């Protein structure tokens, strides 16, 4: 399973890259806005200098024509830019057009298996089911992820399943168990994956014993 960082923060992306855990990056308008008044295209270019893998840049137009225009512009920023289009009728039309021009699209805001089928049919390179946001409204995001993986594998569809809106290590472990192609997560979740109190306790004990026996 590939690890993508779900952030637009350059320090976090550099740290993720140094850990070998930045196979790609997903951004969205909310994440970009958290970085202050950055120039969008310059910021995406800066991310693409750090990370070799796919970097998602999301369109903000609501109509197909606007999304296609934005997508073509974003694709010129760097060869690893992936255009992110919303799972709307207009977004899927734009996905088909951009895919036809050889521009990769990550279809975002997917909340049902039916939507995921439409995205694959439209030519999406990636589908992003939002697990955490489904959990937030009392549904089970992992059930959706499992359904999409099963359906796509029935037909050998090439669209990669990108588990998104991950909020905790259980989401990451279960996404891996189900066979998601990619998990994108905030840096906070990367930190959580490392942590275990018995590791800290064991390390402290080893060092205490080492020093007690006269070693420096
Ligand atoms: C994915 O591409 C989105 O940027 C992201 O996973 C959304 O996560 P959130 O629901 O935590 O905002």
């Amino acid at each position: 399973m590939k690890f993508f960082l779900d952030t637009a923060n350059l320090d976090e992306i550099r740290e993720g890259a140094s850990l070998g855990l930045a196979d790609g990056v997903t951004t969205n308008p909310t994440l970009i806005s958290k970085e202050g008044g950055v120039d969008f295209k310059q910021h995406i270019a800066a991310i693409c200098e750090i990370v070799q893998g796919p970097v998602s840049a999301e369109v903000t137009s609501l109509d197909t024509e606007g999304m296609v225009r934005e997508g073509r512009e974003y694709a010129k920023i760097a060869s690893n830019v992936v255009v992110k289009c919303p799972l709307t009728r207009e977004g899927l039309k734009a996905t088909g057009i951009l895919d036809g021009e050889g521009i990769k699209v990550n279809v975002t805001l997917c909340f049902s298996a039916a939507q995921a089928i439409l995205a694959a049919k439209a030519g999406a390179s990636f589908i992003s089911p939002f697990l955490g946001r489904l959990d937030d409204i009392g549904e089970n995001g992992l059930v959706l992820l499992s359904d999409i993986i099963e359906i796509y594998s029935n037909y050998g569809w090439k669209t990669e399943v990108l588990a998104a809106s991950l909020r905790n290590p259980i989401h990451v472990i279960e996404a891996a168990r189900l066979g998601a192609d990619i998990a994108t997560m905030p840096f906070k979740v990367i930190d959580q994956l490392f942590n275990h109190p018995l590791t800290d306790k064991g390390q402290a004990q080893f060092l205490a014993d080492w020093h007690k026996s006269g070693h420096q």
Side-chain angles (χ1 to χ4, degrees):
M1 184 171 72
K2 283 169 271 190
F3 270 48
F4 285 9
L5 294 174
D6 199 24
T7 179
N9 183 274
L10 297 180
D11 289 336
E12 289 182 346
I13 293 167
R14 280 189 205 99
E15 176 63 9
S18 74
L19 289 167
L21 295 174
D23 298 314
V25 168
T26 47
T27 69
N28 62 42
T30 302
L31 294 171
I32 294 284
S33 70
K34 282 186 186 159
E35 299 310 302
V38 293
D39 177 90
F40 179 68
K41 287 186 195 166
Q42 282 176 14
H43 201 75
I44 293 292
I47 295 173
C48 290
E49 277 177 26
I50 304 169
V51 172
Q52 316 257 296
V55 172
S56 288
E58 187 157 345
V59 298
T60 50
S61 297
L62 293 175
D63 61 306
T64 300
E65 196 187 341
M67 289 183 205
V68 169
R69 192 169 50 243
E70 281 184 76
R72 287 177 182 145
E73 283 303 307
Y74 297 168
K76 288 182 201 156
I77 297 172
S79 59
N80 52 334
V81 165
V82 169
V83 177
K84 221 179 186 188
C85 289
L87 211 156
T88 59
R89 283 173 190 247
E90 297 294 302
L92 292 189
K93 282 188 212 164
T95 298
I97 294 168
L98 292 167
D99 178 59
E101 296 177 10
I103 295 171
K104 289 188 173 177
V105 178
N106 173 4
V107 173
T108 189
L109 291 168
C110 172
F111 294 98
S112 77
Q115 290 180 321
I117 291 170
L118 294 179
K121 299 289 288 178
S125 293
F126 305 91
I127 182 68
S128 290
F130 276 34
L131 278 55
R133 292 192 193 190
L134 278 174
D135 293 357
D136 289 346
I137 61 159
E139 291 190 31
N140 189 338
L142 287 167
V143 170
L144 172 61
L145 181 64
S146 170
D147 287 347
I148 296 172
I149 291 169
E150 181 186 348
I151 292 166
Y152 280 17
S153 72
N154 282 347
Y155 299 99
W157 284 338
K158 64 174 176 54
T159 307
E160 290 190 69
V161 181
L162 195 171
S165 186
L166 303 184
R167 302 273 169 77
N168 54 56
I170 302 291
H171 275 152
V172 179
I173 294 163
E174 292 304 318
R177 198 193 303 278
L178 291 169
D181 298 295
I182 304 152
T184 190
M185 65 203 85
F187 202 81
K188 186 189 77 170
V189 174
I190 300 268
D191 276 337
Q192 290 172 340
L193 292 175
F194 275 98
N195 294 339
H196 199 289
L198 289 181
T199 302
D200 298 338
K201 190 178 169 199
Q203 180 72 347
Q205 184 70 56
F206 285 152
L207 292 182
D209 291 343
W210 179 254
H211 293 308
K212 218 184 309 169
S213 62
H215 296 93
Q216 291 306 312

